[in-house]
Amino acid sequence: MKKYISLFLMLFFTVLTFAQKTVSGKITDDDGEPIPSASVTVEEPGKDAILAYGITNSKGEYKVTFTSAESNVDLKVKAFNQKNLIKQISNSDQTLSFKMQSEATEIKEVQLKTRMITARGDTISYDLKAFDSKNDRSLADVMKKIPGIEVNTDGTILYQGTAINKFYVNGKDLMEGGYGTISNSLPKDAVQKIEVLENHQPVKILQNKIPSDQAAINIKLKNAVTMTGRGEVGTGFGDPWLWNVKLTPMFFGQKSQWVVNYKTNNMGEQVENEGNILAFGSGWEGKRINASQNDWLNVENASTPNLPVKRYLMNNVHYLSANYLTNIDKKKEWELKANANYTNNAVERESYTESNDYQRGTHYQSNIRNNFYTDKAKGELIFTKNAKKGFFKNTTSFSQFWNSDRGLTDITDPFGTRQGNESVNSPTTSFQNSLSTILPWKEKMINIKSYINYQDDHQSLDITPASYVKIPVSYDSITKQFKFFDFLDANTIRQNFNMKTFQANHSANISFTQKAWTFTPEVGLNFSSNKMNSELLGLGNNGTIGYGNSYSNNIKYTNTTPYAAVGVNLKTESWMLFAQLPVNFNNISAKDDERNVSKSLNKVTFEPSAFAQYSFASFWKASLRGSISNNFGDISDMYAGNILSNPGSLSSMSPLNPINEINSKSAGTGIEYRNPLNNIFFNVRYNYSYAKRNLTANSLNVGTGASTIIYEVNDNTTTSNTYSAEVGKYFPKFKTNASVNYKNTESESFQKRNSIGFENNTVDQSVGVKFNNTYFSWMSIDYNATYSWNKRNNISGSDILTNGYNHNLNLFVYPAENHTLGFYWDQVNTSNATSTYKNPFFDVSYQFTWAKKKIDFEVKWMNIANRKLFETYTVDGFTDTYSRIQLRPSQVMFTVKFNFK
């Protein structure tokens, strides 16, 4: 591992120190007048490859920085109505000024031709028309084909492998990070170009003072005022009857913007995920999170396959959202944003599992059928002022969940066959308010931030009959018999749970700038409190049965952390640096008198983090990052009363356990290259992480399907090394975008199972390719493939080798104008030492386009082979496991697709 770290660091510092040179000067005409907008490029002699380029300003001045191993390079200057100038210069720092000769150009024919990728400063622009195909309809369809940009399955947009921090439309952030609705439903015809804003600092008063290592996306529309949107209405044949409705009108004006979105289907599409926040902006804007429930109690869950979700999701979803933005002052500095969404979703799931433990001689079977019901609403109100002379942002959000889950389980194990009915009801209320303001004070800036979060979780788990639950309390080594927990005369087991969570983060800082440096001293207070109550009950014919203090909790956990910190930032033409140097005064306590829990910890920690980036030779960036952090667990490590978290797990923590302490260190380095002149993008990255814990989890499994986790005082460490690389290029001549990526992760950790300790070593590797082509007028193709191979050891000491292959092929043929034939092929293969499973899925479609009205009529047949089951077989040490999971059957859909304008 040290060898790899040394190799990456040597490569990083070699790049930083390798012969970087700067040429600057002034370009004038015959009369000595400056020539603006002249292009200045540096090339290696005899090679048609640009090392660096620059554009003269209004004074005719230029500056070009480049890196080359050659002793001489060619400097080329081009300007309109001037004779091209070429001069060979030495590879050294120098100042060169040139006088160009006038040369009139006779223009016989003018063709306006926009470059597909252009760069100006930190902004890279993509002409959308250069990348789309005849079958593309939405912004997301085209973005997946652009070099340097990647779209994850959850909708997150990555640039050079890193998630973006903002998503704008005509410079306005309507969606506040929840941009999935726009990217999926904004018609491509409304878009002029996509702009990538590299190293984007969204807070204007901090620009050129506090740098950022993330990029943003700005969608520039063709018109300043645009009414648009997408819609689909579909029906289909299957079991049950199928439907799909998508209605998303949008308006983008100079003063206001809005998007209304309603989507419903029962054909396996997760439209409800469009409500997730995918880009979180800058920490200077305050804090925003995706509100979620604390899921302590669960029914037994059917397995899900490693397949695209649309292949197995049995859903019935309704998702409604509305987003509105308006300027509320004449200067257009103040914005009011109101966002709301509502989700109602019902999901069915079923799987069968059969396993053999040859060490114990046991056989285990289970068939699980689930119904998951999601019912949630969210509202958000945001006031923002983002100006060069001040910043203010207040975000208030409220979320309410009324979720419930159901499970019907049939189990066969050494103790017989039994069936259980399980249900969890889990209402949750969540309220958040985040405030951040930055005020200029002379040459300084004052920032005040406040974040408050309150959440109330109620959950109850019911299991009928009580005899279904098998919780071992002792084992007789002579008779080799387990004694199980006696639920007395209960018919139903009920686990009640309630937790109230309060979190407050307050801070104040002052920033002052000295040349290119900005220093920010800060003080703050982070406070969190959890109060948890739980009780295990039996419901019988004679009323409610209690099982004593050992099966209840009334614990309060608090974490109070005052801190002082200094932020250091540097922003120059080549360097970007930001570091945070905090000292935290941690005060943690947990108390539950009835179960003898009384724990406290007071510890001072220094938790620095830093990032440095160096830009050179116009197209290159090299970076280093590192951090140290400490975590002291949470209330889930503290409770001492038993909780039946699911029918197979009754667990508690010893009141004698110390507070969990985790010290984590991480470091990383990377090199990026993006050249819009020849359409090449690539990045190479290395990341290292290390964590040391004072406790080790010992998982006890007695072969009944039940397990208990006990924490032991024993230091253990976890390490991980990840290497990744990606290279992509767009070939304009062939209208082809292609990329290749590779990733390798090596991790080491210590685990205990049934009191036997073992080292858990894993190596995960994958290589992927992405390819799309629109060269032929009668055909277009999109292809993505990933091959992965894995090695890990197990408790028996042997290595387990697995590999997988999956690809996605979309082929479209255009036999005649306005007619499209589509062929879709998803392939998922998995294999291990004993078996191989191949899972192909095929779809076909026919689409007719009413060009005048821009309406598409589509018939699509999905899962032609009618594969109804996904099967796997695995061997892990002394255990083999077979599973099969219910999939969506074959189905046919007829859909009408249209733009609102």
Side-chain angles (χ1 to χ4, degrees), residues 306-466:
N306 181 26
L307 292 173
V309 174
K310 65 181 180 180
R311 300 298 181 186
Y312 65 85
L313 182 63
M314 313 287 186
N315 68 329
N316 183 332
V317 63
H318 297 267
Y319 176 71
L320 175 66
S321 67
N323 300 77
Y324 177 72
L325 176 154
T326 185
N327 289 111
I328 54 178
D329 68 323
K330 294 182 179 179
K331 292 183 179 181
K332 295 183 179 180
E333 292 182 343
W334 283 89
E335 289 180 343
L336 167 65
K337 303 175 190 178
N339 307 320
N341 61 69
Y342 172 73
T343 302
N344 181 278
N345 191 18
V347 172
E348 297 180 8
R349 191 179 297 162
E350 182 175 357
S351 69
Y352 171 82
T353 302
E354 185 173 350
S355 64
N356 295 290
D357 188 328
Y358 298 106
Q359 188 179 34
R360 294 190 178 92
T362 59
H363 180 75
Y364 179 83
Q365 289 178 303
S366 71
N367 193 81
I368 303 175
R369 294 175 292 278
N370 289 128
N371 293 93
F372 302 108
Y373 301 101
T374 301
D375 199 15
K376 64 179 181 180
K378 178 183 177 181
E380 193 168 52
L381 196 63
I382 304 173
F383 286 95
T384 303
K385 177 186 178 181
N386 192 2
K388 286 290 186 180
K389 295 184 178 180
F391 176 81
F392 176 90
K393 186 171 186 177
N394 189 86
T395 303
T396 303
S397 63
F398 176 83
S399 300
Q400 180 66 52
F401 300 79
W402 303 272
N403 294 353
S404 60
D405 301 332
R406 302 290 182 264
L408 178 62
T409 305
D410 295 290
I411 287 182
T412 300
D413 59 22
F415 305 98
T417 299
R418 59 193 190 276
Q419 184 180 79
N421 280 289
E422 310 164 15
S423 67
V424 169
N425 294 312
S426 52
T428 295
T429 300
S430 175
F431 172 82
Q432 301 165 39
N433 192 85
S434 174
L435 169 67
S436 178
T437 183
I438 303 175
L439 304 173
W441 178 47
K442 297 181 180 179
E443 300 301 321
K444 304 177 181 63
M445 297 180 297
I446 299 174
N447 175 225
I448 298 173
K449 290 191 290 188
S450 173
Y451 173 76
I452 296 174
N453 176 35
Y454 173 78
Q455 185 161 312
D456 188 4
D457 291 283
H458 290 267
Q459 298 172 31
S460 63
L461 167 64
D462 284 2
I463 307 165
T464 304

Side-chain angles (χ1 to χ4, degrees), residues 474-728:
S474 64
Y475 176 71
D476 191 323
S477 59
I478 299 175
T479 63
K480 296 184 178 180
Q481 296 290 321
F482 290 99
K483 181 179 179 182
F484 296 101
F485 184 84
D486 185 2
F487 290 106
L488 304 177
D489 296 323
N491 299 321
T492 298
I493 304 302
R494 173 170 293 174
Q495 176 69 64
N496 287 326
F497 174 90
N498 171 240
M499 186 161 72
K500 292 180 171 62
T501 302
F502 178 75
Q503 179 184 359
N505 307 117
H506 305 300
S507 66
N509 65 55
I510 183 169
S511 300
F512 54 92
T513 300
Q514 184 66 34
K515 294 184 178 179
W517 293 88
T518 300
F519 300 92
T520 308
E522 178 177 322
V523 294
L525 173 66
N526 297 328
F527 174 80
S528 64
S529 172
N530 301 101
K531 186 174 182 181
M532 188 261 280
N533 295 277
S534 72
E535 187 174 16
L536 184 66
L537 301 172
L539 307 181
N541 296 329
N542 297 320
T544 301
I545 303 169
Y547 299 109
N549 286 343
S550 296
Y551 297 90
S552 62
N553 286 282
N554 185 12
I555 184 172
K556 185 175 182 180
Y557 167 86
T558 60
N559 185 340
T560 305
T561 306
Y563 70 89
V566 176
V568 180
N569 298 273
L570 170 68
K571 184 70 169 72
T572 68
E573 185 176 337
S574 300
W575 280 98
M576 181 175 69
L577 166 71
F578 50 87
Q580 192 72 9
L581 309 174
V583 177
N584 298 327
F585 303 87
N586 304 278
N587 300 276
I588 299 170
S589 67
K591 197 169 186 63
D592 183 352
D593 293 334
E594 294 188 36
R595 274 144 293 277
N596 298 316
V597 175
S598 181
K599 302 178 184 182
S600 63
L601 180 146
N602 299 286
K603 193 169 186 177
V604 179
T605 58
F606 177 55
E607 303 182 28
S609 62
F611 173 84
Q613 179 177 281
Y614 180 59
S615 301
F616 57 101
S618 296
F619 309 120
W620 292 85
K621 292 181 180 180
S623 61
L624 276 174
R625 68 174 69 240
S627 66
I628 300 175
S629 62
N630 291 274
N631 184 287
F632 300 99
D634 54 32
I635 196 171
S636 63
D637 302 316
M638 310 290 182
Y639 69 96
N642 287 280
I643 295 179
L644 189 68
S645 57
N646 65 66
S649 180
L650 184 71
S651 62
S652 65
M653 306 298 158
S654 169
L656 301 178
N657 283 349
I659 290 177
N660 196 4
E661 297 183 38
I662 305 172
N663 177 257
S664 301
K665 300 180 177 69
S666 66
T669 183
I671 298 175
E672 298 179 21
Y673 175 83
R674 77 283 181 277
N675 188 340
L677 299 179
N678 56 18
N679 309 314
I680 294 179
F681 295 77
F682 79 79
N683 60 79
V684 179
R685 289 190 172 90
Y686 166 74
N687 289 286
Y688 169 76
S689 65
Y690 166 91
K692 181 179 179 181
R693 296 171 173 82
N694 65 328
L695 301 179
T696 299
N698 181 17
S699 176
L700 301 180
N701 189 311
V702 296
T704 64
S707 63
T708 302
I709 296 177
I710 298 174
Y711 284 93
E712 300 177 355
V713 181
N714 182 22
D715 286 352
N716 68 91
T717 60
T718 300
T719 60
S720 176
N721 294 272
T722 300
Y723 321 87
S724 65
E726 182 178 16
V727 58

Side-chain angles (χ1 to χ4, degrees), residues 762-796:
T762 64
V763 178
D764 299 318
Q765 299 182 77
S766 66
V767 60
V769 297
K770 182 173 73 171
F771 169 86
N772 57 72
N773 177 276
T774 58
Y775 179 78
F776 301 101
S777 61
W778 55 271
M779 182 191 75
S780 63
I781 184 172
D782 294 328
Y783 180 75
N784 296 276
T786 302
Y787 178 76
S788 61
W789 59 104
N790 320 90
K791 181 177 74 172
R792 62 187 177 91
N793 67 323
N794 62 16
I795 194 170
S796 66

Side-chain angles (χ1 to χ4, degrees), residues 22 78 125 134 153 173 202 255 401 407 471 477 532 535 600 630 731 782 901:
T22 299
K78 296 180 181 180
S125 301
K134 291 182 180 180
T153 54
D173 182 17
K255 183 179 178 181
F401 300 79
I471 301 297
S477 59
M532 188 261 280
E535 187 174 16
S600 63
N630 291 274
F731 301 88
D782 294 328
K901 191 175 181 180

